[in-house]
């Protein structure tokens, strides 16, 4: 028997299955990155985007189309990371606008929703490029319109659309020569197809694990939680929660907090990420852990399990009541403090940074708020919105410092309220530094953005890293483990030595008009090694001023700017 309609529960199951289908293939999708660098993250970004929506969708106990549409759209918009994640969120946004007013979905509804999804996503991208996720989405939308008069069976409809989507995806290397040269299809398009195939599995009733785990903050992990046998349990309650930091919480506070937790329990894990701290502790008194955590901020996503199976419900209710009371008091105090606070500054800066050294540089030139992210972890739209809330200024300039973060910043700017947000589309950290240095308080926001962009255009950036697979790019044969010099528009050189590759990268960047060379060395480079590179570069380019700074960035041995 065919399936002619999808009700709200069916859509909920299909969406969660689609999210899990993408999550299962995220590492494979990461490997489709054109450049063989160790930070290919399309699969990760798309997964984190859809899982942000999936957490909201899974929490709906009595689903309706309107509730699901809001959860899918809002969750994915705020959770969007990277260009691929933002485009995926826009596809969902358009799709949900079409389905939120119906009781059941038919093939006609799906066709209209596919078309609206594609139109919304194309509008969100300033310069849409064919051979990408957009092309795959449009191909499926066109096929949906064609099929709507041929069948009312949703399963048959979906199967044919997916088959056509795979066909369009297979043609992306013919649309983008760089994909063909690298021997891969578009990774964003592949991610979209995994979502579609997962959704179909859900509709067909295949056995799919639809459980969605709570979000874990991305950052350093301090401590390991050992596995304990039941007979060894000294502390009976497994206590977990997230602290939404509202007061000072640096390395010293984290150390003090861990020391306190160790005094009341064991199996401690503290995961810190800017304004969010995930806590896990086994203790005989969860209230003590909660009360201490409340001194740093409000709590969310609390979970207490009685490992001896005693009084679990009472303790959870008590803990939640304490947290709710404290959170309400904190909110009231924050409101009162806000009312008494000084007026906003006329302007402020938010920058995405990629290492401790770069963080210090940005702070030194006047940045108000740093978002840790960059290459290995693109911040989400929600991260951007949280940063905007923390900067008390009428006009806020956001420096994404990575081409894959610009769309998320622009999406946050469109969602922000009561503040003027100016996204300066810096594609590298050196460009972001130059932009802030050239800010002029007496200019209008529009004039400043234009001036910043003009100064950024004078900055060339080179990045030295290693290859994670064999490939051929820009007519250069690359083998796993080779050292690559990446420029603003592609691979500049390939070698076996970090220093030699850095010097060859400089040779490709420096010209007769170059005046300043700045070398930022990464977390894996010793200062003495970087100083040696500086001296070699100074000898070769005596007419250029050369500076050396610790960037502390992961993955990239050196970031080099030439102005």
């Amino acid at each position: 028997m065919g399936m002619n309609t999808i009700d709200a529960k069916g859509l909920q199951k299909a969406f969660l299955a689609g999210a899990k289908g993408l999550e299962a293939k995220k590492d494979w999708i990461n490997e489709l990155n054109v450049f063989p660098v160790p930070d290919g993250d399309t699969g990760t970004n798309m997964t984190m985007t859809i899982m942000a929506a999936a957490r909201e969708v899974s929490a709906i106990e009595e689903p309706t189309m309107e509730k699901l549409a809001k959860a899918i759209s809002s969750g994915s918009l705020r959770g969007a990371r990277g260009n691929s994640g933002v485009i995926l969120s826009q596809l969902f946004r358009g799709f949900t606008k079409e389905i939120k007013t119906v009781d059941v979905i038919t093939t006609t509804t799906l066709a209209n929703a596919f078309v609206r999804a594609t139109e919304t996503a194309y509008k969100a991208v300033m310069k849409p490029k064919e051979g990408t996720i957009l092309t795959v989405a449009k191909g499926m939308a066109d096929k949906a319109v064609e099929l709507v008069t041929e069948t009312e069976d949703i399963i048959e409809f979906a199967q044919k659309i997916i088959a056509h989507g795979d066909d369009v995806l297979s043609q992306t290397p013919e649309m983008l020569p760089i994909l063909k040269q690298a021997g891969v299809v578009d990774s964003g398009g592949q991610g979209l197809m995994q979502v579609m195939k997962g959704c179909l599995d859900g509709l067909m009733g295949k056995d799919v694990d639809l459980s969605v785990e709570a979000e874990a903050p991305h950052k350093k992990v301090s401590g390991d939680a050992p596995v304990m046998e039941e007979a060894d349990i000294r502390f009976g309650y497994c206590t977990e929660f997230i602290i939404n930091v509202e007061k000072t919480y640096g390395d010293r506070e984290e150390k003090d907090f861990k020391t306190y937790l160790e005094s009341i329990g064991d199996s401690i894990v503290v995961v810190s990420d800017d304004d969010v701290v995930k806590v896990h502790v086994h203790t005989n008194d969860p209230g003590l852990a909660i009360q201490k955590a409340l001194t740093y901020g409000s709590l969310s996503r609390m979970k207490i399990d009685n490992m001896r199976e005693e009084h679990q419900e009472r303790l959870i209710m008590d803990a939640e009541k304490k947290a709710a009371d404290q959170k309400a008091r904190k909110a009231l105090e924050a409101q009162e403090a806000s009312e008494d606070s000084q007026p906003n500054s006329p302007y402020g800066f938010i920058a995405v940074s990629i290492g401790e050294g770069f963080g210090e540089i940005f702070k030194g030139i006047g940045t108000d708020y740093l978002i840790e992210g960059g290459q290995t972890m693109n911040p989400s739209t929600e991260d951007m919105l949280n940063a905007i809330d923390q900067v008390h200024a009428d006009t806020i300039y956001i420096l994404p410092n990575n081409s894959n973060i610009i769309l998320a910043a622009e999406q946050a700017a469109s969602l922000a309220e009561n503040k003027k947000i100016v996204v300066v589309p810096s594609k590298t950290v050196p460009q972001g530094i130059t932009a802030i240095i050239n800010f002029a308080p007496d200019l209008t926001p529009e004039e400043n953005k234009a001036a910043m962009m003009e100064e950024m255009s004078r900055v060339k950036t080179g990045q030295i890293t290693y290859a994670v697979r064999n490939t051929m790019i820009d007519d250069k044969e690359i083998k796993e483990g080779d050292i690559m010099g990446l420029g603003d528009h592609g691979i500049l050189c390939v070698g076996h030595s970090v220093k030699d590759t850095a010097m060859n990268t400089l040779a490709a960047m420096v010209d007769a008009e170059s005046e300043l060379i700045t070398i930022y060395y990464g977390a894996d480079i010793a200062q003495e090694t970087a100083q040696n590179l500086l001296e070699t570069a100074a000898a070769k380019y005596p007419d250029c001023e050369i500076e050396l700074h610790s960037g502390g960035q992961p993955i990239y041995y050196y970031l080099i700017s030439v102005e």
Side-chain angles (χ1 to χ4, degrees), residues 227-268:
V227 178
M228 298 194 306
E229 298 294 333
E230 185 175 351
D232 297 328
I233 294 176
R234 293 175 54 212
F235 301 98
Y237 301 99
C238 176
T239 305
E240 295 179 285
F241 50 84
I242 289 176
I243 306 175
N244 302 299
V245 176
E246 296 166 352
K247 295 186 178 180
T248 300
Y249 186 87
D251 291 340
R252 187 180 70 180
E253 286 77 17
E254 180 176 358
K255 182 179 179 181
D256 292 343
F257 184 41
K258 284 187 60 187
T259 299
Y260 178 79
L261 293 178
E262 289 168 352
S263 73
I264 64 169
D266 63 8
S267 297
I268 296 162

Side-chain angles (χ1 to χ4, degrees), residues 67-172:
K67 289 179 182 178
L68 291 174
K70 182 177 180 180
I72 293 170
S73 180
S74 175
S76 62
L77 280 172
R78 291 180 171 272
R81 297 174 187 267
N83 292 344
S84 56
V86 171
I87 292 172
L88 182 64
S89 73
Q90 291 295 323
L91 288 169
F92 289 148
R93 182 185 181 196
F95 185 91
T96 56
K97 282 182 179 179
E98 196 66 33
I99 60 102
K100 66 181 180 181
T101 59
V102 302
D103 294 324
V104 294
I105 294 172
T106 64
T107 54
T108 300
T109 312
L110 283 176
N112 292 336
F114 276 31
V115 170
R116 192 160 183 177
T118 302
E119 291 174 347
T120 303
Y122 266 87
K123 288 178 183 177
V125 180
M126 186 172 296
K127 295 180 180 180
K129 184 181 294 185
E130 297 305 328
T132 66
I133 182 176
L134 291 171
T135 306
V136 177
K138 187 175 186 303
M140 288 191 287
D142 291 343
K143 190 65 175 179
V145 172
E146 175 188 324
L147 289 171
V148 75
T149 59
E150 298 180 11
T151 180
E152 295 182 354
D153 187 323
I154 286 176
I155 299 300
E156 179 187 358
F157 183 78
Q159 288 172 333
K160 290 183 176 180
I161 288 175
I162 289 172
H164 185 70
D166 278 337
D167 183 55
V168 175
L169 177 64
S170 71
Q171 297 173 36
T172 56

